[in-house]
Each structure stands twice: as C-alpha cells, then as structure tokens.
Amino acid sequence: MENHSRVPNVEVAAILYEVADLLEIKGVRFKPQAYRRAALAIETLPESVADVAREGDLDEIPGVGRAIAAKIREILETGSLGYLSALREEIPEGVQHLTRLEGIGPKKAIALSRELGVRTVDDLEAAGLAGRIRDLPGFGEKTEANILASIRVSRTAQERRLLGEILPVAREIERRLASLASVRQVSLAGSIRRRKETIGDVDILATSYWPDEVMEAFATLPGVERVLVRGTTKTSVALSTGIQVDLRVVEDGHFGAALQYFTGSKEHNIAMRKLAIARNWRLNEYGLVDPATGRAVAGEDEAGIYRALGLAWIEPELREDRGELEAARAGTLPDLVGYDAIKGDLHVHTRWSEGAHSIEEMAQAARTLGYEYIAICDHAEGLRIARGLSPGRLADQVREIERINRESDGEFTVLSGTECNIGMDGTLDLPDSLLADLDVVVASVHSGFKQSESEMTERVLTAMQNDHVDIIGHPTGRILLSREPYRIDLAAVFDAAATLGVLMEINAFPGRLDLSDVNARAALGVGVRFSVASDAHRRENLRCMELGVATARRGWLSAGDIANTRPLPELRRILRS
DNA sequence: GCCGTTTTCGGCCCGACTGTTTTCAGTCG
C-alpha cells in the first residue's frame, strides 16, 4: 500500500521556495537563502526525496539540516506545511504578486499594501493612475511612472521564452555588436550561454575602451523599443518583441572575470566566491583579487580564475551548483559531448505523414549538416491526426528508402523507421512482423496523458518489453511553457531501459527538450544510453539538434553515452543488441 | 536555518543603477 510519500521533488521544492519568498518579504535575513539552497538541492536530486526520507538520510542532502528535514517530513506525510500556512496568514494578501513586478521588491510591496491597501496589480495600477503612489515616503513621481510602466510591460511580455526562440535573436545582437569598431571582445553570457531550456532575458558581455559609444549603438539597435537602464557599464533595453537584453561593458583585462561573473548561475557564483574567501581573496566581475596587496590573482580569462581556485575550467552548461565545483576540484568532470559530435538524426518526419519535405529532401539537408545517416520515423496508423502510415504504406516507404540507398553514392545512409504510438495498454500500433523489418523503432506516448502514475509507468514498461523497440521518444510528454510532463515513475523506466538496452530520447524540438537536463542526468546515473534527435518536421528543424546536445551537456552526458555519435556500423550493433 | 582548510558560534556574495535622498535604501542580477 502506497502512502502519500510520493509527493514529487518539485512540489516539495516549490513549498520551500515559497517559504523563502515569504521570509524575504518579512525582511528575515539569511533564512531565505537557506530555504532556497535546500529547495534547489531537492529539485535537482536524482532520486525521490520520499525515498531519501524513508532511508532516514534527509540530513545528507546539502543545505538540509534538522529544521528543514522536519519540514520535509511534514510535507511528505501531509502534503502541506503548517509553517507555510502561518506565513501566508502573516503577509498581506497580494504582496507576493506585487514583488513579481520589475522594480518592486519586498519593502516597496509591503509599503504599498500597508499604506494604500493595494492587493492586486489592478489595484496598484488604479492607485498609480490616480497619482496616489508618489506621496508615499520613499516614493516619488518617477517611481510612480516606473511602476505603471512595469505593469504595462508585465501585461505584454511573457515571463520566459524558449531557448530555441531566443538563441537566434541573441546571436544576431552579438553579431552586430562584434562588428562595431569600438568593441574588442563580445560574448553571450547568463542563462543563454549556459543553454538553459527557457530564458528570462538575454545577457551579453563586451569589452571596449569606449563604453559610451558601445552603449549608444546598443540602445539604438533595430528592434529596441525602450531603454530601461542606461549607464557606462550596464545598459538594459526592451525589444519590441518583449525580450529584455542586458549589455555589460568592461575593460579588456577584466573579460574573463566578467564573463565568469555574468554567466552565472547565481548559485554557482556564490559557491565560487566562497572558495575565494576561503583563500582570503575576493571574486567579483573585475577579477580575483588579493585584498591584502590589491593585486589581481586572475581575471583576464575564465580558466585562470578556475585554476587559481584549484579547479578545472567548467563548461558553462554545467554551472548550476549541482556538484560541478566538487567534480572540477577532484578532476572528475565529464568529457561533455561536443556540438559537432552528432553523426546522424534518429527521429525525422517526412511528407509521408505530417512532415513538409520528402525523404530525399530531408536526407540532402542532413548531409549538408555533415551527418552520415538519418532515420525516417513517420507516425504509424494509430495517429490518424498526423496522417499516420498504414502497414501497407509503411512497407511502400521501406521500399522507397531501399531504392534511395541503392541509388546513392554510399556515403550517406537513410535508415527505415517509425515513431509508433504506445496505446493506453502499452501495445504498439504496428505488427511485430513489420517492426522487425525496420532499422529504428521509436515508441512514444501521444495521448491519454491523464492516466495515473502506475498506469502510465506500466504502459511504457510494456512497450519497452517489445524486443523491436529501440528508443522511447519524448519520454515525459512535456511541452515547455504549456504542458506539464505526464505522471510516470521515471526511475522505474530508467532501470528498465538500462537493463533492456532501450535508448532514452532527448528530443531536441525547441518546445520539448524531453528528457530534460535533470532527468537525463538521473538516467545516466543508472547506466542508460541515449538518442539525441531533432523530431524534425521540415528541413530547417534539423538544426534544432543543437538544443538537444545542449540539454545532453547540461545532463553531464559524454559522446559515448549517445548512440547517434557513433558511426553507422557501431550504431547498428547498439540498435540490435 | 545551515555550516566548518578560520569556526559547533558567528558568520552568511558583491557591485551597478535609480530615485529620493543630502549620505543612502531598495532593487536587480
């Protein structure tokens, strides 16, 4: 009999995060940090926090001491936390909403609530339009105008956007800045350099001896709608698309320190600064400095800073304070899969089902990318909405692929395949006799997302038992910013995948990135191997492979963990074993 | 509330920008 100790890690973490937010609003010092640290550790824990609690090992989680361990146990047993309820009672209703507005922190939110009785953003807007904010102590006309502007921005701009949407925009700005005569070096920084799956705003770093010229050029780039902040080292603008871009300009000699600092993550940097303090140094965006002598120990390049702190250089994708500093000290950082390591794409659609291009067009585009092979995995009959192929049509497609390979120069191979549908009971929508003739069988869930966790887990495990299944496609079904993953016991799925030799897909489509970085790392930990695949529906989509590789890198994967970094003969052996 | 290459107690990351202030608090990243 299951008790409710299946509260997912993310829910436990969410409660602790809210406690941190409310404590911060109360003006409590240091505790918010402690709760956030514990929440982050639980969010990224490879195993279920409920299992850890059952073993009595909660206090072994970094950042979890006696007090927070007790609160976690309460959450696991009751599904809620009395301490949080009490905090909610204490904080005036709505203050939390107000702090989400740019420029309003805990102090201003409390003042607005206490003095004006503001409860909602709508209340706040009414007070601002009536000119009642400017008379509060510590506020003025400009603050009032800024608050009204923040409300307008919050109504148009989305909170976060897909990496795949932002990356091209950021690269275009980077390119324009690099072309300025006054700019010496320029780099993307922040979460976009770390290739996080969603991005709040774009951070760019440049070096120059004429920062004012750079800032002027930046503030007048095409697409800039509003200048939010304008200084000599930092300028922030809002693009007409609602995307915020921050540019920092420093001198050349500080490039490494500034790049390290502005790349983050915040948690990674805090851990770095603690290492500096332990050596009686200081780390900031201008360098690693010995305060006793005022001399810079390092700062021109990133590697020098890591080296001075006794660490190997850490790839940006790993900088989340998830153990990378310890690994860098011990010399056990993974040799991350390179962006150029992919030799083929194992999940591609064509015009035969819902794709836009022919098999030959997709193959030609893949060849242009330097690939050696591509697997055509159109939907099967179960997905009528995607014009899935009947067994007869699929047999036709296999013959067509054979013809294309026969007529090719032999340097590129089209593999036959399918993305078959895993039915509600785990059965596949193609007969085994046909699956046996295909090179690559991807099996994915496309419907019935509301099943219970045990039903969904059983369903996927059943599909994996089929000897012909090589890969589980987009294993959690999530759609970033719109659909939550379905409930499934991933630990059980990963164990089975490792045992059966079934690959887990890291689907590189911009809105999926499924498995996620954290899930991929958990799977890696139990010996799972992967396919990183574009799920392309047209030629241009093949390029989103980059996003999947980024996710794999954030999940600590090496090339050897990914089947489609292997040359074709070796790939064939992996698929058949 | 956590934690220890200074520590089981006394610390806890650091600087830029803005606005309302006459020397600094609040906010952000």
Side-chain angles (χ1 to χ4, degrees), chain A residues 341-358:
Chain A
I342 298 297
K343 292 209 164 46
D345 200 325
L346 298 181
H347 185 167
V348 165
H349 295 274
T350 70
R351 214 152 49 203
W352 285 65
S353 67
E354 59 179 342
H357 293 107
S358 68

Side-chain angles (χ1 to χ4, degrees), chain A residues 346-347 418-422 426 428 440-446 456-466 468-477 486 488 490 492-494 496-498 500-507 514-515 528-533 535 575:
Chain A
L346 298 181
H347 185 167
T418 179
E419 181 184 11
C420 60
N421 187 46
I422 303 177
L428 306 177
V440 178
V441 174
V442 178
S444 319
V445 169
H446 294 102
M456 183 64 84
T457 306
E458 201 47 46
R459 173 180 180 185
V460 172
L461 290 176
T462 300
M464 290 168 71
Q465 296 294 333
N466 185 312
H468 304 298
V469 170
D470 300 302
I471 301 168
I472 297 298
H474 43 74
T476 76
Y486 41 71
I488 185 165
L490 278 179
V493 171
F494 294 160
L500 297 167
V502 174
L503 304 176
M504 286 286 124
E505 182 176 83
I506 295 179
N507 188 296
D514 180 12
L515 298 173
V528 169
R529 295 184 85 179
F530 302 84
S531 158
V532 182
D535 200 355
L575 293 175

Side-chain angles (χ1 to χ4, degrees), chain A residues 22 39 61 111 139 185 206 236 321 356 366 436 487 504:
Chain A
L22 293 176
I61 300 173
F139 290 71
Q185 301 187 74
S236 297
D321 194 23
R487 287 168 294 168
M504 286 286 124

